[in-house]
Structures are given as structure tokens and as C-alpha cells.
Amino acid sequence: MVTLDLRRLRFLREFEERGTLGAVATALGYSPSAVSQQLTVLEKEVGTPLLERAGRGVRLTDAGRLLAQHARVLLAAAEAATSDLASLGDQVRGTVRAGGVQSAARHLLVPSLARMAAEHPLVRMEVSELELEQALPGLRLGSVDLVISDEYDGHPRPRPLGMRFEPLLSERLLIVLPAGHPLAAPGGPVALSDLRDMVWVSSDETTGHHAMIVGNCRTLGGYEPDVRHHSNDADVQLAVVRHAAAVALLPLLNLPAEDPTLAYRPVAETDLGRRLFTVTRDGPLSPALTAFLSVVTDQAAGACQRHGRGHRVR
């Protein structure tokens, strides 16, 4: 009779998802040799090879792929059992591992930690800054429970199967200029077409934010923007606007309500927006995750009210 160890099955499932021992080691916090040893032990337990050589690396055998499929089911069942047990007690307990894009982590996830600690002290919270693409393997495998991601008008994100996407908030995108810039002086909307000679700052070239700026400058402004500066930190982008006379296009959540060095202006050609949404695995949510989602949703509603009232865009 074969006895399957759930921890070792997770190593196998991670390998199926990530493809290399190094990627599994990074995701789980082990060395590649430790990952290899755990999979070797699993092979001995089941009595058949699970990995085979493929060039300089290894890949799953037919038996490895078959067991990885069963591992997915067994790990999901173990997670559901843990959730059901947690719901039996009088107090919410468990662990929630949450991540989000920089603005969501800063303005929604981190501020929610204090309320969680006060209302649900037995819940262990772990928060990271994560892009959806980074987080998807962890979401599928159960090492991440919640991600807050974003998408911009005209640049929808894919919705992978097995994931639940729920809207969290919608917000306007504003052009950010140095307060003394001539286009900022009259107030009112600013046309992207009038910014063709400006230097731009955006997030990293691999992000949806960068693609949104380039795409809108092309379609609405009729030019290729001169994007010289990149940072995924909105505060760094704002500093570039202040000190390098650059232009940015950022959502309200990223903008300080009062800053005399900056001017916020709507886009003249059309209303542009961004949506934040929560991403979780399909299936029942644990009581701890349900509680945290409620807190985050309240935080998002409050942020919309504060930022919607506080920014002067005239």
C-alpha cells in the first residue's frame, strides 16, 4: 500500500506548474537540491520514476504527470478540509496570504491589516507586492490566497480558468504635469495629442500600465510617446514629473490629494479609467479569507470616497 505525503505532493504539483527545480525552490523557499531530494523520496514511496532527464534539466514522466493530476485533487481536498474545520470554531482563525499591485498593496492591503488584527487576532496575515502574472502559479497551487490586480480601459487582462475575478473599484486616470507647465495653467482637460513632445514616465515595459500609455498615445494622440523613465512605484513616477518636467498618466489611488508641485488634468479625448479586482481560486473560501475580503472591500469603498472628493482636477 502506497502512503502519499501531501507535502511531497505539493513539490510535485509545484514542479508541474513551474517547470524547473529552481523555480520550485524559489517559490517554496528551499534549495534546488532539497527539492530534488523530496521528489526522489516521493519516487521511492510510489515505486516508479516521476522525473526523467531532458537536456540539462528534468521533466515529468507519464507517471509523474498522472500523479501530479491526482495531487491537484488531493491538495484541494486538504485545503477544503482545513477551511471546514476552521469554520467550526467560535473565532476566525487561519492564514491569509495576499498580494497586489503596488497601489493596491499600499492603499488597500496594508491599511486592512490593523482592522484584521483587531477583529480577528487569530488570523495570520502575510502581504506582498505582486503582479497577477507573478502570483498566478501560487494562486493555482494554494501558496497565495488573494491577489488584487488591475486592468486599464482598452487593455483587458485574461481570465484564466479556475480563478474567480470580482470587481473591487473603478477609478479615473489623470494626466500628471508639473504645476508650472503651460498646459496645466488654463485648467480643464489636456489632450494627449498636445503631449507629443513631452518626456513620459511609466511603469516597467512589461506592465499593463506601460502598454496603456503607449497604446493611448498612439490611438488618441497619433504618436509614439518618448517613455524614458520607468518605475513601478507611483511615488517615484511623481518625483520624475516634479524634477524632470515629465508627464505621467496615473489612477486617482496613486495621487496625493494636495500637492502644489503637481497638476492633475483629465484626458480631453476620452474618459480613461482603471479597474481593480480581487482574484481568488474557484471554490469555497476559508472563513479567514472571507473576513479579509470584507475588510478590503470596506477599505476600497473608503478610498474611493476620499480620493474622489480630494483631488482638484479643474
Side-chain angles (χ1 to χ4, degrees):
M1 177 178 173
V2 176
T3 301
L4 296 174
D5 183 294
L6 287 177
R7 186 169 64 93
R8 294 192 184 101
L9 288 177
R10 182 172 295 283
F11 281 97
L12 184 68
R13 179 73 181 91
E14 289 274 355
F15 183 83
E16 180 195 38
E17 182 71 29
R18 301 181 191 276
T20 69
L21 296 175
V24 175
T26 299
L28 298 181
Y30 288 80
S31 67
S33 62
V35 173
S36 179
Q37 289 169 9
Q38 291 296 316
L39 292 173
T40 298
V41 172
L42 183 60
E43 286 183 324
K44 292 178 179 178
E45 289 175 342
V46 300
T48 189
L50 302 175
L51 300 174
E52 62 186 5
R53 284 287 172 190
R56 295 184 178 181
V58 292
R59 65 187 177 194
L60 292 174
T61 63
D62 290 343
R65 285 189 289 273
L66 177 63
L67 186 56
Q69 293 172 9
H70 286 290
R72 187 182 306 124
V73 176
L74 292 170
L75 291 168
E79 182 178 354
T82 301
S83 176
D84 288 345
L85 287 171
S87 66
L88 293 177
D90 294 332
Q91 290 185 288
V92 176
R93 64 183 68 227
T95 298
V96 175
R97 293 145 297 196
V101 294
Q102 190 256 1
S103 57
R106 174 177 294 180
H107 298 288
L108 302 180
L109 292 177
V110 172
S112 297
L113 294 178
R115 180 173 158 190
M116 280 297 293
E119 297 181 3
H120 306 289
L122 298 181
V123 175
R124 173 187 170 91
M125 292 300 311
E126 300 176 8
V127 167
S128 304
E129 183 180 332
L130 284 174
E131 292 285 339
L132 180 60
E133 292 77 8
Q134 291 176 283
L136 275 176
L139 272 170
R140 292 191 184 100
L141 295 165
S143 58
V144 177
D145 303 304
L146 163 70
V147 173
I148 300 179
S149 192
D150 60 359
E151 67 181 9
Y152 296 89
D153 288 347
H155 296 82
R157 286 186 180 271
R159 294 326 197 238
L161 294 176
M163 298 291 127
R164 178 187 295 138
F165 292 75
E166 297 290 345
L168 187 60
L169 67 82
S170 297
E171 56 182 341
R172 198 179 195 184
L173 293 173
L174 296 177
I175 293 170
V176 186
L177 293 163
H181 193 279
L183 288 175
V190 170
L192 287 177
S193 58
D194 291 336
L195 300 172
R196 67 172 55 246
D197 296 324
M198 292 285 291
V199 171
W200 283 81
V201 56
S202 82
S203 297
D204 186 81
E205 292 181 357
T206 62
T207 63
H209 180 256
H210 176 85
M212 176 273 298
I213 288 176
V214 173
N216 281 307
C217 286
R218 288 172 178 169
T219 58
L220 299 177
Y223 62 93
E224 193 74 19
D226 182 7
V227 185
R228 299 187 193 179
H229 311 293
H230 298 88
S231 175
N232 290 343
D233 188 324
D235 287 347
V236 173
Q237 292 193 37
L238 295 175
V240 171
V241 174
R242 293 186 193 98
H243 299 291
V247 60
L249 184 56
L250 290 168
L252 280 172
L253 199 60
N254 282 325
L255 302 178
E258 296 292 338
D259 190 326
T261 68
L262 299 172
Y264 309 143
R265 298 290 182 264
V267 177
E269 290 92 344
T270 187
D271 283 333
L272 291 178
R274 177 182 81 152
R275 287 162 300 285
L276 292 181
F277 47 88
T278 61
V279 188
T280 57
R281 289 181 298 281
D282 275 342
L285 303 180
S286 70
L289 180 54
T290 299
F292 187 59
L293 278 170
S294 176
V295 172
V296 168
T297 300
D298 289 347
Q299 184 69 29
C304 282
Q305 293 176 357
R306 291 191 300 273
H307 286 77
R309 289 196 302 263
H311 291 82
R312 301 181 62 188
V313 296
R314 297 188 298 275

